Amino acid sequence: MSAPVTVRILDREYTVGVNEDERDSLMAAARLLDARMRELRGGNKMVAADRLAVLTALNLAHELQQGRAGGHAQAGDDAFALLDAANRKLDALLA
């Protein structure tokens, strides 16, 4: 069953419907997106959020495409699983 989850990206909140078993993954993805957008923005707080979002999405899509083209999809899956596990542990420690 889908339940609303609120994520925070670049100091803005977004509510997304997600199944309970996908909640942790969504939260990890939101943290990754927030970090990448902040990294790309750097000190330039004047860049438009929509432009920043598109550039970040393009960078992430390119990385995904490169990983698949290079036959590293399995290694990437393992890395994401490790990141999800680490995020869950950090969330538990911070709670």
Side-chain angles (χ1 to χ4, degrees):
M1 178 169 192
S2 183
V5 174
T6 301
V7 296
R8 192 164 184 83
I9 300 170
L10 282 184
D11 302 322
R12 291 187 63 188
E13 291 187 349
Y14 300 89
T15 301
V16 181
V18 65
N19 292 329
E20 184 61 34
D21 60 336
E22 296 176 342
R23 184 180 188 280
D24 290 341
S25 181
L26 174 73
M27 299 296 286
R31 286 190 295 270
L32 173 65
L33 180 58
D34 181 65
R36 291 291 184 92
M37 288 179 73
R38 288 178 187 280
E39 179 182 314
L40 192 58
R41 179 182 69 180
N44 184 359
K45 306 257 185 196
M46 298 303 293
V47 65
D50 60 338
R51 178 174 169 76
L52 184 59
V54 169
L55 291 174
T56 304
L58 183 59
N59 284 339
L60 289 170
H62 182 256
E63 289 175 17
L64 178 63
Q65 183 182 36
Q66 292 297 328
R68 286 183 178 167
H72 297 102
Q74 184 64 36
D77 292 343
D78 291 343
F80 284 121
L82 287 172
L83 284 172
D84 282 342
N87 282 328
R88 281 193 298 277
K89 287 179 183 178
L90 285 172
D91 288 341
L93 289 172
L94 294 172

